[in-house]
Amino acid sequence: MSRTALITGASSGLGAEFARQLAATGAHLVLVARDRTALDELAARIRRTHGVEVEVLRADLLKPRHLDRVVARLSDPERPVDLLVNNAGFGLPLDFAGNDIDDEVRHLELHVEVPMRLSHAALRAMLPRKRGRIINVASVAAFIPRSTYGACKGWLVAFSEWANGRYGPQGVTTTAVCPGYTHTNFHERLGLPPGQEGIPGWMWLDARTVVAEGLRDAARGKAVSVPSFRYRAIVALSRFAPRSLGARVGARGR
C-alpha cells in the first residue's frame, strides 16, 4: 500500500472515506480542501484512531496560487507522495443553457484542468522513482450523456485509460473510479435533501463500498473501476443503447 497519499476534496464525502480507509492501512495522509475546520476535525479523528501522520493543506483549487501550493507539495522530492486521489468536484443543474456560464467554466476547471495539472505534477515526481498510483474519481455519468458533468467525467476516464497504458509499464498506474449515485453530501450541496434527488433506492451505493472497490482495482492496476455489479451492467448496456435513449436516462435525477 502507498506510504503517503494526497487526497483532494478530502473534507467530506468520498474524499473523507478515502482518507479513513487509507489511514487504516497505515498510509500517511495529505488532506486538501477549502474547509480548514472540517479538515482539522477529520485529521484529529484519523490521528487518534490510526496513529498515522496527517498533513492538512487548505486550498481552493480554483485559485492559481492555492493550486500551485498543491503542485509544489506533489513535486517535493524530500516528501514523496505515492498516491494521488483527484476527488475534488461539485455538481450543477443539468440545464446547461440555463446555468451561469461562469459556473460552467469553474466546473470544467475543477473537473478537468485541476486533475490534469495535479496528475502532471504527480507523474513527473513518480516516474523517476518507478512507482506510484493516481486515482481519478470520475462517474458512471462518463458513459451516459449527462450535460457537462458527464462530459468532464468522460475526459477523466479517457485520460486515465491512456495514462495507465502509457505509464503503467513504468510503474505508475492511473485508475478512473466511476461510481453511480452514492450516499454523500454531494446532492445536498445542490440543494437536494436526502429523498428528493429523484433516484430510486436500488441505485444508491455506500461510500465505503465505492472506496474499497476503487482502492482494490487501483492496487490491481486497472484503468477503470466501476463499483458494484449493477453499475457495471448499466455501463455495459450503455455501450449498445441508442444515444437518444442514453440521453433520456441521463436526464433522470439530479
Side-chain angles (χ1 to χ4, degrees):
M1 180 55 65
S2 301
R3 291 175 302 217
T4 299
L6 186 149
I7 306 165
T8 68
S11 59
S12 63
L14 289 177
E17 186 60 31
F18 270 107
R20 288 188 287 266
Q21 291 196 28
L22 287 165
T25 71
H28 303 311
L29 304 176
V30 182
L31 305 181
V32 180
R34 294 180 301 171
D35 189 335
R36 179 60 187 249
T37 300
L39 285 178
D40 286 340
E41 291 174 354
L42 176 62
R45 289 195 298 271
I46 288 175
R47 292 186 191 107
R48 286 195 304 269
T49 303
H50 301 290
V52 298
E53 296 178 12
V54 184
E55 178 184 344
V56 168
L57 182 54
R58 182 192 173 279
D60 181 342
L61 295 173
L62 292 177
K63 295 181 177 179
R65 287 183 301 171
H66 290 211
L67 180 59
D68 286 346
R69 290 205 300 268
V70 183
V71 167
R73 180 63 184 86
L74 286 166
S75 306
D76 187 345
E78 301 300 320
R79 297 181 296 163
V81 171
D82 304 281
L83 169 63
L84 165 64
V85 181
N86 281 312
N87 170 73
F90 66 93
L92 291 172
L94 299 179
D95 180 12
F96 171 72
N99 290 341
D100 184 273
I101 190 59
D102 290 332
D103 289 342
E104 288 283 2
V105 169
R106 286 188 287 271
H107 181 265
L108 178 69
E109 289 174 351
L110 189 58
H111 287 270
V112 175
E113 181 180 349
V114 167
M116 180 174 64
R117 289 183 180 276
L118 297 184
S119 295
H120 184 263
L123 284 165
R124 289 169 74 95
M126 293 173 179
L127 286 170
R129 303 195 301 266
K130 294 182 169 55
R131 70 174 188 274
R133 293 179 192 157
I134 298 171
I135 292 176
N136 292 317
V137 178
S139 170
V140 165
F143 308 99
I144 300 169
R146 192 168 171 83
S147 190
T148 50
Y149 184 76
C152 290
K153 295 304 188 181
W155 185 93
L156 270 182
V157 170
F159 172 76
S160 299
E161 289 179 313
W162 172 83
N164 197 57
R166 176 66 175 81
Y167 300 114
Q170 300 177 51
V172 182
T173 61
T174 302
T175 302
V177 177
C178 303
Y181 293 104
T182 304
H183 285 298
T184 66
N185 62 346
F186 180 86
H187 288 86
E188 291 182 49
R189 294 202 303 269
L190 277 171
L192 298 169
Q196 297 185 22
E197 308 95 343
I199 306 301
W202 67 268
M203 294 186 71
W204 288 97
L205 301 176
D206 178 76
R208 288 173 294 181
T209 301
V210 168
V211 170
E213 291 196 27
L215 288 173
R216 179 200 65 194
D217 287 342
R220 294 174 176 174
K222 293 184 65 174
V224 178
S225 170
V226 181
S228 88
F229 175 79
R230 78 198 79 158
Y231 277 106
R232 287 193 289 275
I234 289 172
V235 168
L237 290 171
S238 73
R239 300 182 189 279
F240 303 100
R243 300 301 286 178
S244 58
L245 175 60
R248 291 198 297 273
V249 171
R252 296 192 63 185
R254 289 197 40 205

